[in-house]
Amino acid sequence: MFSGQLENRKWIVCFGNIADLLRTRQFDIYRKVPKDLTQPTYTGAIISVCCCLFILFLFLSELTGFIATEIVNELYVDDPDKDSGGKIEVNLNISLPNLHCELVGLDIQDEMGRHEVGHIDNSMKIPLNNGDGCRFEGHFSINKVPGNFHVSTHSATAQPQNPDMTHVIHKLSFGDKLQVHNVHGAFNALEGADKLSSNPLASHDYILKIVPTVYEDMSGKQRYSYQYTVANKEYVAYSHTGRIIPAIWFRYDLSPITVKYTERRQPLYRFITSICAIIGGTFTVAGILDSCIFTASEAWKKIQLGKMQ
């Protein structure tokens, strides 16, 4: 008798579980339609194929954007490179095809009282045109205050009668060199500046506005460089003795605004959200379109059969 009661309890528990499952099924929002109640159509097949191709295209586009890095830029007021000791590295490469190398010199001045004539550290002079011209290449530092540096004959032991300051600027850059394809800035704005056809005795003023620039890669490493805008003028300058002593001036001032470029990658949750939105939105729109076409087709068939009033 005891075994019979135990068997009855097992059946009661079993039926109770089945009842719970049946009640749970009431919460299913994804109700299934039996296959024998559905009707495939050629229009639906075409829309389904187009829908899948469209989803594949958008998925590949989102995947490409997720894998690739994007460059985000921002502006703020600060000195980004506080460890530089208040210095900016300068790279200058200029050719003067009609001035001898022994006459070419670099002078540096600024508002902190620096006045250096004939700077020679980390500089090189390369003769051009069988010694008639000169190519000056220099790497030097300037203070982070307004000032100027200029190429002239001021440091020469004897001043020439008619110094020819026609020139071509190959490079003028500040700070580290940035080789990033997605960043297009004015890091070497004077590259290719050609003044060979100008007045040989004219002085040239290049007025530079230097903008500090920071580039931060995915690893968090930062590189410091400087962009600059430039304006220029050409004029004939006379000394107090009445002689014409031309020079090539680079007058600079620093902007308080810093430009920062940061490498970023799209977060995974945003990628998943985009994919879900693509799939859901595409299928929803395709379903509406298919339903409209099917309804219109059925209505047209009824009209043809004369069954619609």
Side-chain angles (χ1 to χ4, degrees), residues 23-32:
R23 284 194 296 268
T24 304
R25 289 173 56 183
Q26 297 176 0
F27 297 100
D28 183 10
I29 62 175
Y30 302 101
R31 301 299 177 93
K32 311 302 185 292

Side-chain angles (χ1 to χ4, degrees), residues 129-196:
N129 302 331
N130 297 319
D132 293 333
C134 185
R135 179 171 181 146
F136 178 85
E137 299 180 5
H139 178 80
F140 54 95
S141 62
I142 56 176
N143 295 315
K144 291 183 178 180
V145 294
N148 73 79
F149 52 91
H150 52 276
V151 178
S152 67
T153 61
H154 298 166
S155 61
T157 54
Q159 293 296 318
Q161 287 296 325
N162 296 305
D164 189 334
M165 282 294 167
T166 55
H167 61 276
V168 176
I169 300 175
H170 306 289
K171 181 179 182 180
L172 176 60
S173 63
F174 301 87
D176 297 338
K177 184 178 181 180
L178 293 182
Q179 292 181 329
V180 183
H181 297 295
N182 295 332
V183 176
H184 304 285
F187 297 98
N188 191 12
L190 278 174
E191 180 182 16
D194 189 336
K195 298 296 181 180
L196 296 179

Side-chain angles (χ1 to χ4, degrees), residues 10-271:
K10 288 182 179 179
W11 280 107
I12 293 173
V13 172
C14 182
F15 283 118
N17 292 335
I18 293 174
D20 291 339
L21 289 175
L22 291 175
R23 284 194 296 268
T24 304
R25 289 173 56 183
Q26 297 176 0
F27 297 100
D28 183 10
I29 62 175
Y30 302 101
R31 301 299 177 93
K32 311 302 185 292
V33 180
K35 290 186 178 181
D36 55 351
L37 298 180
T38 60
Q39 177 183 351
T41 62
Y42 289 108
T43 304
I46 294 173
I47 292 177
S48 298
V49 172
C50 294
C51 178
C52 292
L53 292 176
F54 185 67
I55 289 175
L56 179 62
F57 169 74
L58 293 181
F59 172 77
L60 294 177
S61 300
E62 285 293 326
L63 182 62
T64 302
F66 174 70
I67 296 174
T69 58
E70 61 177 349
I71 306 297
V72 180
N73 61 75
E74 59 180 313
L75 304 176
Y76 60 92
V77 179
D78 195 10
D79 179 10
D81 191 9
K82 296 183 174 63
D83 298 330
S84 64
K87 302 286 186 180
I88 300 176
E89 298 298 320
V90 184
N91 293 284
L92 176 63
N93 189 330
I94 184 172
S95 292
L96 298 93
N98 301 310
L99 193 64
H100 294 280
C101 281
E102 61 268 16
L103 300 175
V104 176
L106 177 69
D107 309 329
I108 305 173
Q109 297 175 314
D110 62 35
E111 292 186 359
M112 291 184 67
R114 181 181 183 182
H115 189 180
E116 186 175 350
V117 179
H119 179 87
I120 59 175
D121 294 339
N122 299 318
S123 62
M124 180 171 56
K125 300 177 185 179
I126 304 172
L128 301 174
N129 302 331
N130 297 319
D132 293 333
C134 185
R135 179 171 181 146
F136 178 85
E137 299 180 5
H139 178 80
F140 54 95
S141 62
I142 56 176
N143 295 315
K144 291 183 178 180
V145 294
N148 73 79
F149 52 91
H150 52 276
V151 178
S152 67
T153 61
H154 298 166
S155 61
T157 54
Q159 293 296 318
Q161 287 296 325
N162 296 305
D164 189 334
M165 282 294 167
T166 55
H167 61 276
V168 176
I169 300 175
H170 306 289
K171 181 179 182 180
L172 176 60
S173 63
F174 301 87
D176 297 338
K177 184 178 181 180
L178 293 182
Q179 292 181 329
V180 183
H181 297 295
N182 295 332
V183 176
H184 304 285
F187 297 98
N188 191 12
L190 278 174
E191 180 182 16
D194 189 336
K195 298 296 181 180
L196 296 179
S197 59
S198 61
N199 183 354
L201 297 178
S203 291
H204 301 267
D205 257 13
Y206 295 99
I207 303 168
L208 315 177
K209 191 70 172 181
I210 301 175
V211 181
T213 304
V214 183
Y215 185 86
E216 182 176 325
D217 59 21
M218 292 291 296
S219 64
K221 180 181 178 182
Q222 292 185 339
R223 285 179 285 172
Y224 303 97
S225 187
Y226 296 85
Q227 303 181 64
Y228 63 92
T229 59
V230 59
N232 68 85
K233 63 180 180 178
E234 180 181 327
Y235 59 94
V236 176
Y238 294 87
S239 68
H240 62 280
T241 60
R243 293 182 57 185
I244 299 176
I245 305 180
I248 304 169
W249 297 82
F250 301 93
R251 307 181 191 274
Y252 62 88
D253 193 7
L254 271 78
S255 169
I257 303 296
T258 296
V259 180
K260 183 178 182 180
Y261 298 97
T262 307
E263 282 186 358
R264 290 181 184 175
R265 182 164 286 151
Q266 183 180 356
L268 180 60
Y269 72 87
R270 186 179 300 174
F271 172 71

Side-chain angles (χ1 to χ4, degrees), residues 259-297:
V259 180
K260 183 178 182 180
Y261 298 97
T262 307
E263 282 186 358
R264 290 181 184 175
R265 182 164 286 151
Q266 183 180 356
L268 180 60
Y269 72 87
R270 186 179 300 174
F271 172 71
I272 296 175
T273 303
S274 299
I275 297 302
C276 293
I278 289 171
I279 296 174
T282 304
F283 275 119
T284 300
V285 174
I288 295 173
L289 180 62
D290 179 60
S291 177
C292 292
I293 293 175
F294 180 77
T295 303
S297 176

